Amino acid sequence: MTATVRAEQTAVFPRFLDHAYPNIERGDGVWLFTTDGRKILDACSGGAMVTCLGHGVREVIEAAASQANQIAYYYNHHFTNRPQEQLAERLVTVVAPEMARVKFTSGGSEANETAIRLARAYHVERGQPQRWRVISPAQAYHGSTFGTLALSGRRRSLQQPYESYLPAYFHLAPATPRLDPTGERALAELDDIVAKVDPDSISAFFCEPVSAAALPAYSPPKRFWDGLQERATRYGFLVCFDEIVSGMGRVGSWLAAHELPIEPDIVTIGKGLGAGYAPLAAVLCRAHVLDAIAGGSREFDLGHTWDGAPLPCAVGLAVLDVLTERRLVDRVRERGPRLLDELRAALKGSSIVGEVRGRGFLLGVELVDPRDGRSFLPDELDAASLVDDIAFDLGLLVSSTHSTPDGYAGDEVLLAPAYTSTDAELAQMVERFAATIASLERMVLHEVGRQPVGTVHRP
Ligand SMILES: Cc1ncc(COP(=O)(O)O)c(C=O)c1O
């Protein structure tokens, strides 16, 4: 097989038909090796903020092999199994003691979809079947199923041409420093929505407590969380947190929720839970959510084939062991602020860098138009793709998002190193990323020239 694979050379249905996909053969720690011998520094935990322990972790591989040897799969409609039971127990004792129960899924979209249904079931069981509406901030990513895609609030960049299939949820503009630094505007929008619809029709507010790909490392100001908690209590809707990325230590605490002045009723986790060794995610809920079902129909009958299967749960247990034994969440909490300082220092003076954000080992860089240092870069440039390509040429894996057409954010770059990255590796990531941005800056300055903001078209 060739070192890069193009659409016309493969039976795979690729995501982007014009992209030549490098062929990765193996991984070791934060290094990826291509079939033609290139060595790529992985600053994004496998590209999707997943491999929080790095690649090739023996303890996890051995746990997976041993479980597969014993029994890999059976359906949890009929049975339960030790790894599922133990992992659930560990999650509600070590990771989230405030939570009462855990329901496993294979991926983040499934977990979020399950959370939407659990919130709805909670109200139905309590005799409030009229509650179904979900409100969420725009400029998010919650998954690619219809239910979760509807939550993202990104009509142009994500939802077209599937809008007809999507439930009509309400969205608030995100309370970013650019749009709404105090969070008051988002709360006023929330109040407007509540005033427009019957407050008794609202089931849940659904959001990322710390955003991942769509607005990396962004979290609304405290005022917003206080106001949301107060309204959730007043109107009786649930708060659901999507911690598919931010959970499992990524931001320096087991859950991002633990750092915020609000108590979500339902939380989803994923990515770092299986750490890339098995597809694994979970929905956690507080006791009152379980109690509603327990005191009602006593069924929450929803399941996917792989939910709670022995193999992924054994992997989750091994991942949790490594995280706790090596005190990796502490490391992320202690090392994260310095990593942010180092990144800021390396990017200082760049005319295309706006805000540089960081929470633990989740970092985000906002790209801006050098002509005013504030506007989004021209849509046509698709700077996000340029960043990823330049970085790759410099031997670095980062992940960027281009959601300019929706108007809430421009090009954003995400770095999410493995928690096990050494200081030397983190320094190399920062150095290679600064070189990437310097190269992009030259390109952008050449493209935008002296034309006024908003007039550039890429040839
Ligand atoms: C915050 C967030 N939620 C949900 C998802 C969806 O997860 P999955 O791709 O496993 O369905 C993602 C995926 O990137 C995500 O970043």
Coordinates of all heavy atoms in Angstrom, one line a residue, residues 107-109 112 141-143 208 212 242 244-245 271, ligand 1:
G107 N -19.8 5.4 21.9 CA -19.2 6.7 21.4 C -20.0 7.9 22.0 O -21.0 7.8 22.6
G108 N -19.4 9.1 21.7 CA -20.0 10.3 22.2 C -21.3 10.7 21.7 O -22.2 11.1 22.5
S109 N -21.6 10.5 20.4 CA -22.9 10.8 19.9 C -24.0 9.9 20.6 O -25.0 10.4 21.0 CB -23.0 10.5 18.4 OG -21.9 11.2 17.7
N112 N -24.6 11.2 24.1 CA -25.4 12.4 24.2 C -26.8 12.2 23.8 O -27.7 12.8 24.4 CB -24.7 13.5 23.2 CG -23.5 14.1 23.9 OD1 -23.3 14.0 25.1 ND2 -22.6 14.6 23.0
Y141 N -20.1 21.2 19.4 CA -20.1 20.0 18.6 C -20.5 18.9 19.6 O -19.9 18.7 20.7 CB -18.8 19.6 18.0 CG -18.9 18.3 17.2 CD1 -19.5 18.4 15.9 CD2 -18.4 17.1 17.7 CE1 -19.7 17.2 15.2 CE2 -18.6 15.9 16.9 CZ -19.2 16.0 15.7 OH -19.4 14.9 14.9
H142 N -21.6 18.2 19.3 CA -22.1 17.2 20.2 C -22.2 15.8 19.5 O -22.7 14.8 20.1 CB -23.5 17.5 20.8 CG -23.4 18.8 21.7 ND1 -22.8 18.8 22.9 CD2 -23.9 20.0 21.5 CE1 -22.9 20.0 23.4 NE2 -23.6 20.8 22.6
G143 N -21.9 15.7 18.2 CA -22.0 14.4 17.6 C -22.6 14.6 16.2 O -23.0 15.6 15.8
E208 N -21.5 22.0 26.4 CA -20.1 21.6 26.8 C -19.7 22.6 27.9 O -19.7 23.8 27.6 CB -19.2 21.7 25.6 CG -19.4 20.8 24.5 CD -18.5 21.1 23.3 OE1 -17.4 20.7 23.2 OE2 -19.0 21.9 22.4
A212 N -14.8 21.9 23.2 CA -13.6 21.2 22.6 C -13.4 21.8 21.2 O -13.2 23.0 21.1 CB -13.9 19.7 22.5
D242 N -22.1 17.9 28.2 CA -21.3 17.0 27.3 C -19.8 17.1 27.7 O -19.2 18.1 27.4 CB -21.6 17.5 25.9 CG -20.7 16.8 24.9 OD1 -19.7 16.1 25.3 OD2 -20.9 16.9 23.7
I244 N -17.7 14.7 26.9 CA -17.0 13.7 26.0 C -15.5 14.0 25.9 O -14.7 13.1 25.9 CB -17.7 13.6 24.6 CG1 -19.2 13.2 24.8 CG2 -17.0 12.7 23.7 CD1 -19.4 11.8 25.4
V245 N -15.2 15.3 25.7 CA -13.8 15.7 25.7 C -13.3 16.1 27.0 O -12.2 15.7 27.5 CB -13.6 16.8 24.6 CG1 -12.2 17.3 24.7 CG2 -13.9 16.2 23.2
K271 N -14.2 9.7 24.9 CA -12.8 9.9 24.5 C -11.7 9.3 25.4 O -11.3 8.2 25.2 CB -12.5 11.4 24.3 CG -13.6 12.1 23.4 CD -13.2 12.1 22.0 CE -14.1 13.1 21.1 NZ -13.8 13.0 19.7
Ligands
LIG1 C1 -17.7 17.5 22.7 C2 -18.0 16.3 21.9 N1 -19.2 15.7 22.1 C3 -19.5 14.6 21.3 C4 -18.7 14.1 20.3 C5 -19.1 13.0 19.5 O1 -18.4 11.8 19.8 P1 -18.4 10.6 18.8 O2 -17.6 11.1 17.6 O3 -17.6 9.5 19.6 O4 -19.7 10.2 18.5 C6 -17.5 14.7 20.1 C7 -16.6 14.2 19.1 O5 -15.6 14.8 18.7 C8 -17.1 15.9 20.9 O6 -16.0 16.5 20.7

